[in-house]
């Protein structure tokens, strides 16, 4: 822990509110700049993984449309479809598990390969719930409590959006003004849930904001929408923990909430993976796995 006599070049310590310490005696040293940038990277990557998934779905929809046009032109009808054009373009983004394995392979003589996602399309499984690719984004899932891919995407996007929008400067307030976020104030029945193109655009917008902070000198970043630079900046979280009681408040930090949004997104990726599998569009092995799960699997092999 840095001492109070650190030089001017040392990042200052931030003392959490007294209610979060034992008699106010504890202080927390600021993270290194490399660690800080990596949190922005992880958050941006989670949004990028979602964009890659939706782009894969869009490509599958285009392939389906082309196949239908081919059948119409040839007059073969549904029975004339060979299935080749209906083969999905699977989600091929660099998953966290793949990156971890490649990183380990650089240090070990025999890199772990058990969790490397397939590189080429595989035979599609028989769908549990038949569904046209053009309907996949909005069709309710039988296995996932009538949820849809679109609703899960909107939900995980809302958490990032609310964290960024409540940053005081985005409300015309001073950066040191009290920062309060309430993830329960989410949007519902909005274009994010039904419009694939709009969803891709909004996810890419937030991803770009985070990537603008992933620079060698964060002080030179000029994002289109300001977000916190100090990961230890205090944030008050308002949450409804019981519908029969008023909301409660917890003291947290921007860095902790940014990490929560990233891990929360992974949870919904897992649900989206179930829905895609139900509709006969399998995703890669690493999609929807938490970092701790990936780490545990790598260590056990």
């Amino acid at each position: 822990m840095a001492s109070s006599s650190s030089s001017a070049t040392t990042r200052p310590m931030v003392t959490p509110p007294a209610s979060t310490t034992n008699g106010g005696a504890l202080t927390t040293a600021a993270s290194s700049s490399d660690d800080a940038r990596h949190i922005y990277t992880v958050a941006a990557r989670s949004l990028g993984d979602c964009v890659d998934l939706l782009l894969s779905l869009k490509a599958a929809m285009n392939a389906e449309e082309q196949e239908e046009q081919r059948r119409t032109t040839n007059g073969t009808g549904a029975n004339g479809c060979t299935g080749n054009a209906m083969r999905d373009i699977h989600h091929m983004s660099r998953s966290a598990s793949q990156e971890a394995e490649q990183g380990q392979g650089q240090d070990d003589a025999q890199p772990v390969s058990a969790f490397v996602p397939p590189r080429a399309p595989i035979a599609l499984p028989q769908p549990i719930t038949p569904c046209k690719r053009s309907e996949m984004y909005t069709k309710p899932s039988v296995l996932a409590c009538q949820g849809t891919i679109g609703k899960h995407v909107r939900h995980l996007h809302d958490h990032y959006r609310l964290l960024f929008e409540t940053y005081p400067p985005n409300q015309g307030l001073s950066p040191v003004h009290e920062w309060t976020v309430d993830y329960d104030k989410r949007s519902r029945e909005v274009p994010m849930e039904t419009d694939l193109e709009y969803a891709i655009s909004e996810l890419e917008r937030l991803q770009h904001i985070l990537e603008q902070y992933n620079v060698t000198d964060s002080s030179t970043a000029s994002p289109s929408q300001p977000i916190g630079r100090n990961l230890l900046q205090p944030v008050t979280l308002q949450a409804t923990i019981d519908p029969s009681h008023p909301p409660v408040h917890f003291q947290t930090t921007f860095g902790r909430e940014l990490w929560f949004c990233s891990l929360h997104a992974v949870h919904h990726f897992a649900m989206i993976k179930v829905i895609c599998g139900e509709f006969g569009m399998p995703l890669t092995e690493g999609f929807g796995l938490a970092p701790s799960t990936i780490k545990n699997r790598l260590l056990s092999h």
Side-chain angles (χ1 to χ4, degrees), residues 33-158:
S33 58
D34 286 344
D35 289 340
R37 287 199 306 273
H38 192 58
I39 293 177
Y40 291 120
T41 300
V42 170
R45 187 169 57 199
S46 71
L47 292 170
D49 282 347
C50 195
V51 169
D52 287 344
L53 167 65
L54 298 188
L55 289 174
S56 293
L57 178 55
K58 179 181 176 180
M61 291 167 59
N62 290 337
E64 177 185 67
E65 182 180 2
Q66 292 173 6
E67 175 65 14
E68 290 177 346
Q69 291 175 351
R70 186 194 66 80
R71 293 203 308 266
T72 300
T73 301
N74 295 341
T76 56
N79 293 331
C81 177
T82 63
N84 290 333
M86 285 294 292
R87 189 181 302 278
D88 289 297
I89 301 175
H90 299 292
H91 179 46
M92 288 291 132
S93 69
R94 288 176 56 84
S95 66
S97 62
Q98 183 180 351
E99 291 187 352
E101 288 152 17
Q102 291 182 351
Q104 180 166 323
Q106 295 173 357
D107 300 326
D108 301 337
Q110 296 182 342
V112 177
S113 59
F115 308 107
V116 176
R119 284 295 187 178
I122 58 177
L124 295 179
Q126 195 69 21
I128 297 174
T129 303
C131 178
K132 295 181 63 176
R133 294 297 174 255
S134 58
E135 300 172 351
M136 273 187 63
Y137 191 67
T138 57
K139 186 177 179 66
S141 165
V142 174
L143 299 182
C145 303
Q146 297 299 303
T148 70
I149 295 175
K151 288 182 178 180
H152 281 286
V153 170
R154 186 271 303 162
H155 180 86
L156 69 89
H157 169 272
D158 263 352

